[in-house]
Structures are given as structure tokens and as C-alpha cells.
Amino acid sequence: AQSVTQLDSHVSVSEGTPVLLRCNYSSSYSPSLFWYVQHPNKGLQLLLKYTSAATLVKGINGFEAEFKKSETSFHLTKPSAHMSDAAEYFCVVSTSSNDYKLSFGAGTTVTVRA
Amino acid sequence: EAGVTQFPSHSVIEKGQTVTLRCDPISGHDNLYWYRRVMGKEIKFLLHFVKESKQDESGMPNNRFLAERTGGTYSTLKVQPAELEDSGVYFCASSRQGEWNTEAFFGQGTRLTVV
């Protein structure tokens, strides 16, 4: 079985300050982990993915995430938030035992203050 | 290259009516998935096609839901008859065959409201 917990349902940051979105996962197998973003009235877009290569993964728009097996975490960060980062973010896990089923976290809504 | 497209973007129907959602995957993508997000809940897997075959439909909530994928191209998801609890956003995604952890590309979703 696999599951994802996003620890914050809502995060509010000031423009230019760091963003941290927390994600913990559980999986019986070696997981692949993803972060997706959904802007209003848009589809889900892949930000980055971890697939057992480097533990620090860089994605689009300046985002990165670090896979920490000992902590079963895959937190998403960005050093400086931009207004365009306001969106909903999803942490997602899949495993080789269930290669097509993505398990989504509940989502974190990010608000960026000017 | 066109992305995954879904029609309609919004649908409001009365309880008991029928609604058909359509998904056009990226050309050449053998895998096609349907997911659903009910209000206030996580996005949940519904089913998976490989080409025209249903690989897994374990996430389909009940027999009021019927998915098809004609000729391995576009897919439809029919809800008949619709109930209030079917309201939510229905996402379609597609990916290439072969790599189990390959990226899934999502459509913008269809927001279904049953009143």
C-alpha cells in the first residue's frame, strides 16, 4: 500500500520569501515521488519527480525537492516566491508494484502576498 | 504538440440524468487514466486503459460509471444515472507505454455538478 500526507492544507508567504511545502509518504516498495501543480482553470502540471537517482531533485520554475528515506519525506522548496506561484500543489507517489496508480496527497494551496 | 484535452470543461446536470465526459490523450500515448476529485477529498484513481483495453478499473465507484476507449484513441466516461455525490472534478491523464514511472500528462479536468 502507498499513501501521501501533505502536512499543510494552506501556506501563505510574502513575495520574495522562501516556500516550503511538506510531504510525507508511506510505501511498501521503492517509491517514485512527484510534485504536481494546478493553477486556476488549468490542468495538473508536473513540477519534478524522484525516481531513485539523485535525492535532490530540481524542477521547473525554481522548485526543488529532497527525498529523505530515513524521514519518509519529500518536501518541496523554492528560495524566493513569485506571485505566479500561487496555486495548489500535490505530492504524489507511485510504486513499481502499482505502476500506473498515482496516489495523491490532499493538496496544499499556496497564497503569495505582495 | 497538443496536450490532453477534456470536454466539456464544466457540466451541470440534474440528478438522474446522464452525462458523458470525453478525454483526448496525447497522440501516441497508450496509457490513459481517469481520476476524480470529489469536493474536499483527495484526487482518486478511477481506471486505467492500455490502448483500448481496461487494465484496471478497481477505482470505479459503482456500475453507474462506464468508461470506454474506442480504438485506443479518445476515451469517454459516462455516468448514468448521475447522483449528487458524483459531483467533482474528473481528470484524465495519459502517458507513454513502457516506463512505469514515466510522467503522466493531465488534462484541465471536467467540473461536474449534479443538482
Side-chain angles (χ1 to χ4, degrees), chain B residues 37-48:
Chain B
R37 188 181 196 188
V38 173
M39 184 70 71
K41 304 285 188 180
E42 290 95 348
I43 298 172
K44 294 287 192 184
F45 168 85
L46 294 179
L47 87 160
H48 170 218

Side-chain angles (χ1 to χ4, degrees), chain A residues 40-51:
Chain A
N41 301 316
K42 300 287 187 182
L44 291 157
Q45 180 185 20
L46 181 68
L47 275 179
L48 49 80
K49 67 177 180 180
Y50 165 78
T51 56

Side-chain angles (χ1 to χ4, degrees), chain B:
Chain B
E1 180 185 79
V4 177
T5 53
Q6 294 185 242
F7 305 95
S9 56
H10 295 83
S11 180
V12 181
I13 63 170
E14 293 185 350
K15 176 182 172 180
Q17 288 186 322
T18 297
V19 63
T20 300
L21 313 181
R22 173 170 169 146
C23 169
D24 286 75
I26 292 173
S27 177
H29 281 193
D30 289 338
N31 292 306
L32 187 148
Y33 318 84
W34 284 97
Y35 289 82
R36 177 176 76 166
R37 188 181 196 188
V38 173
M39 184 70 71
K41 304 285 188 180
E42 290 95 348
I43 298 172
K44 294 287 192 184
F45 168 85
L46 294 179
L47 87 160
H48 170 218
F49 284 98
V50 177
K51 297 183 180 178
E52 68 276 8
S53 300
K54 290 178 186 175
Q55 187 76 12
D56 183 345
E57 53 185 330
S58 62
M60 295 287 262
N62 50 61
N63 59 10
R64 294 186 293 104
F65 288 76
L66 175 64
E68 294 179 324
R69 189 180 183 190
T70 306
T73 55
Y74 70 91
S75 174
T76 58
L77 179 64
K78 180 189 289 187
V79 185
Q80 179 182 28
E83 299 289 345
L84 298 179
E85 64 265 24
D86 300 332
S87 296
V89 181
Y90 290 76
F91 292 100
C92 176
S94 71
S95 69
R96 293 186 186 89
Q97 183 68 329
E99 297 179 18
W100 65 271
N101 56 11
T102 192
E103 176 182 355
F105 293 83
F106 283 80
Q108 83 282 9
T110 293
R111 182 175 296 278
L112 174 64
T113 303
V114 183
V115 297

